[in-house]
Amino acid sequence: MFRFLSRIVLAGALSTTVFSALAEEQAKQALQQRLNQMQQYRADFNQQVTDAQGEVIHQASGQLVMVRPDKLRWQTQAPDDTLLIADGQSVWNVDTFVEQVTIVKQNQAIQNNPIILLTSTDEAKWQQFRISQPAEDTFMVTPQTSDSQIQQLELRFDEQSLTGLSMKDAQEQTSKLSFTDIETQFTPQLSDFEVTIDDTYTIDDQR
């Protein structure tokens, strides 16, 4: 009798595991299909960051440009003018207030960060994350390992493109972004992912 019950429990556990893996694969394919429809993406954003108690600790607005694969431009106009560019090899963080540029290898900067899936077509990187689809227009992405700074990423879509995202980090701070004036049909400019640095700037090259 005990052996019979054990087999039933084992069979149930295996069935649940198989179902979970199938659901994750279906969610992954659905997300990839959505992102494949936006090989380039440009939008204005509003960002709000809250702490673990839900208190607003930061707000910003600016413009985001993404081009697949692996290129991103993030520029804030308020409250401060800052620029972050990922050109496929390096990430350039330009702080105009202190006139400093920090440069790091892109693979280092985004390691285990689920946000990379927005621009990555590398299957090995996709395998680093678990993906679920709690609703038709919503995807949840979590790292396979616990050492990621970003613990959870939520992506929200309409029928055409990405309309918002939410990131929860290891300190339980949540950053929510909403996108407006969205464009997915335009010719990307290489200059969007190039950095011109004035002689007065301090360069911290960590590559």
Side-chain angles (χ1 to χ4, degrees):
M1 183 65 176
F2 177 76
R3 289 182 179 178
F4 178 71
L5 291 174
S6 297
R7 289 173 182 172
I8 292 177
V9 171
L10 179 59
L14 289 173
S15 177
T16 300
T17 301
V18 170
F19 178 79
S20 177
L22 179 60
E24 283 190 22
E25 182 62 26
Q26 290 175 337
K28 170 187 163 185
Q29 292 179 5
L31 178 56
Q32 288 178 330
Q33 185 176 12
R34 293 264 190 166
L35 295 175
N36 285 338
Q37 294 173 355
M38 38 180 273
Q39 292 296 311
Q40 54 274 330
Y41 179 92
R42 179 166 59 203
D44 294 334
F45 68 82
N46 285 300
Q47 179 187 30
Q48 180 174 279
V49 182
T50 55
D51 62 18
Q53 288 72 45
E55 296 293 326
V56 177
I57 57 175
H58 179 70
Q59 296 186 81
S61 61
Q63 187 180 64
L64 172 68
V65 182
M66 296 186 295
V67 175
R68 308 187 90 206
D70 302 328
K71 288 183 172 60
L72 180 145
R73 177 187 179 94
W74 171 281
Q75 185 165 20
T76 62
Q77 285 93 35
D80 301 307
D81 185 7
T82 63
L83 175 64
L84 183 144
I85 289 180
D87 62 14
Q89 300 295 324
S90 303
V91 174
W92 305 67
N93 193 345
V94 183
D95 190 326
T96 57
F97 181 75
V98 297
E99 295 192 341
Q100 178 172 311
V101 180
T102 303
I103 313 168
V104 296
K105 290 182 179 179
Q106 189 160 324
N107 283 339
Q108 278 184 316
I110 60 177
Q111 188 174 15
N112 293 331
N113 189 330
I115 202 73
I116 66 174
L117 299 189
L118 293 177
T119 60
S120 178
T121 57
D122 185 345
E123 185 62 25
K125 291 179 181 177
W126 279 77
Q127 292 298 327
Q128 297 173 11
F129 305 96
R130 294 187 297 271
I131 300 170
S132 62
Q133 188 176 6
E136 179 65 26
D137 59 354
T138 304
F139 295 85
M140 304 296 292
V141 184
T142 56
Q144 295 278 11
T145 60
S146 59
D147 60 349
S148 173
Q149 176 61 22
I150 303 300
Q151 297 291 302
Q152 181 175 275
L153 171 66
E154 177 183 324
L155 302 171
R156 300 182 299 279
F157 293 81
D158 61 14
E159 293 182 0
Q160 286 78 37
S161 60
L162 182 69
T163 59
L165 63 81
S166 177
M167 294 179 289
K168 185 175 181 179
D169 67 20
Q171 287 74 45
E172 296 191 351
Q173 293 182 354
T174 300
S175 177
K176 294 183 178 180
L177 290 97
S178 58
F179 301 114
T180 57
D181 295 328
I182 298 168
E183 298 178 77
T184 58
Q185 301 297 322
F186 62 93
T187 302
Q189 301 297 315
L190 290 178
S191 58
D192 284 341
F193 308 101
E194 297 174 348
V195 180
T196 301
I197 305 171
D198 292 339
D199 293 339
T200 57
Y201 277 57
T202 301
I203 300 175
D204 179 14
D205 194 338
Q206 301 178 12
R207 291 175 293 182

